[in-house]
mmCIF file of all heavy atoms in Angstrom:
data_model
loop_
_atom_site.group_PDB
_atom_site.id
_atom_site.type_symbol
_atom_site.label_atom_id
_atom_site.label_comp_id
_atom_site.label_asym_id
_atom_site.label_seq_id
_atom_site.Cartn_x
_atom_site.Cartn_y
_atom_site.Cartn_z
ATOM 1 N N ARG A 199 -11.239 30.742 176.650
ATOM 2 C CA ARG A 199 -10.120 31.182 177.363
ATOM 3 C C ARG A 199 -10.459 31.701 178.759
ATOM 4 O O ARG A 199 -9.627 32.031 179.472
ATOM 5 C CB ARG A 199 -9.357 32.199 176.560
ATOM 6 C CG ARG A 199 -10.171 33.430 176.241
ATOM 7 C CD ARG A 199 -9.337 34.437 175.433
ATOM 8 N NE ARG A 199 -10.294 35.532 175.153
ATOM 9 C CZ ARG A 199 -9.942 36.524 174.425
ATOM 10 N NH1 ARG A 199 -8.680 36.605 173.885
ATOM 11 N NH2 ARG A 199 -10.799 37.503 174.139
ATOM 12 N N HIS A 200 -11.789 31.927 178.996
ATOM 13 C CA HIS A 200 -12.228 32.479 180.289
ATOM 14 C C HIS A 200 -12.624 31.401 181.272
ATOM 15 O O HIS A 200 -13.467 30.607 180.908
ATOM 16 C CB HIS A 200 -13.353 33.442 180.120
ATOM 17 C CG HIS A 200 -12.986 34.548 179.190
ATOM 18 N ND1 HIS A 200 -12.181 35.696 179.610
ATOM 19 C CD2 HIS A 200 -13.377 34.823 177.945
ATOM 20 C CE1 HIS A 200 -12.045 36.430 178.523
ATOM 21 N NE2 HIS A 200 -12.769 36.053 177.512
ATOM 22 N N LYS A 201 -12.065 31.347 182.439
ATOM 23 C CA LYS A 201 -12.523 30.308 183.467
ATOM 24 C C LYS A 201 -13.772 30.895 184.028
ATOM 25 O O LYS A 201 -13.744 32.055 184.647
ATOM 26 C CB LYS A 201 -11.402 30.031 184.454
ATOM 27 C CG LYS A 201 -11.751 28.925 185.391
ATOM 28 C CD LYS A 201 -10.610 28.411 186.307
ATOM 29 C CE LYS A 201 -11.129 27.226 187.113
ATOM 30 N NZ LYS A 201 -10.024 26.804 187.986
ATOM 31 N N ILE A 202 -14.850 30.074 184.070
ATOM 32 C CA ILE A 202 -16.036 30.520 184.723
ATOM 33 C C ILE A 202 -16.514 29.542 185.769
ATOM 34 O O ILE A 202 -16.025 28.422 185.762
ATOM 35 C CB ILE A 202 -17.217 30.699 183.665
ATOM 36 C CG1 ILE A 202 -17.561 29.244 183.057
ATOM 37 C CG2 ILE A 202 -16.824 31.686 182.552
ATOM 38 C CD1 ILE A 202 -18.803 29.267 182.193
ATOM 39 N N THR A 203 -17.404 30.012 186.589
ATOM 40 C CA THR A 203 -17.955 29.186 187.675
ATOM 41 C C THR A 203 -19.440 29.082 187.392
ATOM 42 O O THR A 203 -20.094 30.130 187.167
ATOM 43 C CB THR A 203 -17.790 29.790 189.082
ATOM 44 O OG1 THR A 203 -16.402 29.955 189.279
ATOM 45 C CG2 THR A 203 -18.367 28.897 190.154
ATOM 46 N N ILE A 232 -16.600 34.210 175.791
ATOM 47 C CA ILE A 232 -17.588 35.257 176.194
ATOM 48 C C ILE A 232 -17.639 36.327 175.217
ATOM 49 O O ILE A 232 -16.648 36.979 175.019
ATOM 50 C CB ILE A 232 -17.366 35.772 177.652
ATOM 51 C CG1 ILE A 232 -17.331 34.577 178.650
ATOM 52 C CG2 ILE A 232 -18.369 36.796 178.023
ATOM 53 C CD1 ILE A 232 -16.912 35.007 180.078
ATOM 54 N N GLU A 233 -18.856 36.579 174.624
ATOM 55 C CA GLU A 233 -19.000 37.626 173.647
ATOM 56 C C GLU A 233 -20.125 38.507 173.925
ATOM 57 O O GLU A 233 -21.257 37.947 174.117
ATOM 58 C CB GLU A 233 -19.202 36.996 172.200
ATOM 59 C CG GLU A 233 -18.168 36.043 171.746
ATOM 60 C CD GLU A 233 -18.643 35.368 170.470
ATOM 61 O OE1 GLU A 233 -19.021 36.101 169.593
ATOM 62 O OE2 GLU A 233 -18.539 34.209 170.427
ATOM 63 N N VAL A 252 -24.795 38.902 177.061
ATOM 64 C CA VAL A 252 -23.696 38.176 176.423
ATOM 65 C C VAL A 252 -24.017 36.738 176.043
ATOM 66 O O VAL A 252 -24.966 36.178 176.506
ATOM 67 C CB VAL A 252 -22.478 38.106 177.518
ATOM 68 C CG1 VAL A 252 -21.947 39.487 177.876
ATOM 69 C CG2 VAL A 252 -22.867 37.276 178.687
ATOM 70 N N ILE A 268 -23.875 32.179 186.157
ATOM 71 C CA ILE A 268 -22.485 32.120 185.760
ATOM 72 C C ILE A 268 -21.762 33.253 186.510
ATOM 73 O O ILE A 268 -22.260 34.394 186.570
ATOM 74 C CB ILE A 268 -22.322 32.390 184.266
ATOM 75 C CG1 ILE A 268 -23.065 31.286 183.410
ATOM 76 C CG2 ILE A 268 -20.855 32.314 183.908
ATOM 77 C CD1 ILE A 268 -22.635 29.959 183.459
ATOM 78 N N LEU A 269 -20.569 32.918 187.116
ATOM 79 C CA LEU A 269 -19.665 33.930 187.564
ATOM 80 C C LEU A 269 -18.443 33.996 186.573
ATOM 81 O O LEU A 269 -17.784 33.047 186.429
ATOM 82 C CB LEU A 269 -19.194 33.513 188.976
ATOM 83 C CG LEU A 269 -20.247 33.258 190.082
ATOM 84 C CD1 LEU A 269 -19.630 32.880 191.417
ATOM 85 C CD2 LEU A 269 -21.185 34.469 190.229
ATOM 86 N N ALA A 270 -18.280 35.170 186.046
ATOM 87 C CA ALA A 270 -17.181 35.345 185.043
ATOM 88 C C ALA A 270 -16.832 36.757 184.983
ATOM 89 O O ALA A 270 -17.702 37.684 185.082
ATOM 90 C CB ALA A 270 -17.681 34.833 183.659
ATOM 91 N N LEU A 271 -15.572 36.985 184.807
ATOM 92 C CA LEU A 271 -15.042 38.367 184.620
ATOM 93 C C LEU A 271 -15.551 39.307 185.756
ATOM 94 O O LEU A 271 -15.834 40.489 185.553
ATOM 95 C CB LEU A 271 -15.352 38.946 183.315
ATOM 96 C CG LEU A 271 -15.019 38.084 182.067
ATOM 97 C CD1 LEU A 271 -15.602 38.672 180.792
ATOM 98 C CD2 LEU A 271 -13.590 37.929 182.003
ATOM 99 N N ASN A 272 -15.612 38.849 186.993
ATOM 100 C CA ASN A 272 -16.022 39.541 188.166
ATOM 101 C C ASN A 272 -17.412 40.047 188.059
ATOM 102 O O ASN A 272 -17.795 41.039 188.631
ATOM 103 C CB ASN A 272 -15.077 40.747 188.395
ATOM 104 C CG ASN A 272 -13.710 40.295 188.766
ATOM 105 O OD1 ASN A 272 -13.532 39.365 189.494
ATOM 106 N ND2 ASN A 272 -12.628 40.927 188.244
ATOM 107 N N LYS A 273 -18.307 39.312 187.278
ATOM 108 C CA LYS A 273 -19.670 39.660 187.145
ATOM 109 C C LYS A 273 -20.554 38.394 187.371
ATOM 110 O O LYS A 273 -20.071 37.316 187.206
ATOM 111 C CB LYS A 273 -19.984 40.231 185.784
ATOM 112 C CG LYS A 273 -19.264 41.642 185.534
ATOM 113 C CD LYS A 273 -19.482 42.015 184.120
ATOM 114 C CE LYS A 273 -18.713 43.332 183.956
ATOM 115 N NZ LYS A 273 -18.632 43.728 182.552
ATOM 116 N N ILE A 274 -21.765 38.644 187.588
ATOM 117 C CA ILE A 274 -22.659 37.595 187.719
ATOM 118 C C ILE A 274 -23.747 37.675 186.618
ATOM 119 O O ILE A 274 -24.227 38.685 186.284
ATOM 120 C CB ILE A 274 -23.528 37.645 189.072
ATOM 121 C CG1 ILE A 274 -22.561 37.573 190.288
ATOM 122 C CG2 ILE A 274 -24.598 36.583 189.097
ATOM 123 C CD1 ILE A 274 -23.195 37.874 191.581
ATOM 124 N N TYR A 275 -23.879 36.486 185.846
ATOM 125 C CA TYR A 275 -24.781 36.444 184.786
ATOM 126 C C TYR A 275 -25.859 35.474 184.992
ATOM 127 O O TYR A 275 -25.567 34.293 185.438
ATOM 128 C CB TYR A 275 -23.977 36.051 183.495
ATOM 129 C CG TYR A 275 -23.016 37.075 183.023
ATOM 130 C CD1 TYR A 275 -21.669 36.965 183.344
ATOM 131 C CD2 TYR A 275 -23.404 38.190 182.363
ATOM 132 C CE1 TYR A 275 -20.692 37.899 182.972
ATOM 133 C CE2 TYR A 275 -22.517 39.225 181.963
ATOM 134 C CZ TYR A 275 -21.187 38.966 182.268
ATOM 135 O OH TYR A 275 -20.194 39.951 181.856
ATOM 136 N N GLN A 296 -26.540 40.214 182.658
ATOM 137 C CA GLN A 296 -25.856 40.518 183.975
ATOM 138 C C GLN A 296 -27.009 40.604 184.935
ATOM 139 O O GLN A 296 -28.002 41.349 184.697
ATOM 140 C CB GLN A 296 -25.077 41.764 183.848
ATOM 141 C CG GLN A 296 -24.215 42.011 185.092
ATOM 142 C CD GLN A 296 -23.283 43.143 184.922
ATOM 143 O OE1 GLN A 296 -23.063 43.638 183.861
ATOM 144 N NE2 GLN A 296 -22.696 43.511 186.030
#
Side-chain angles (χ1 to χ4, degrees):
R199 62 182 176 183
H200 302 285
K201 187 172 183 180
I202 65 169
T203 302
I232 301 174
E233 302 173 48
V252 297
I268 304 291
L269 304 181
L271 307 174
N272 296 319
K273 296 177 184 167
I274 298 172
Y275 295 99
Q296 189 171 347

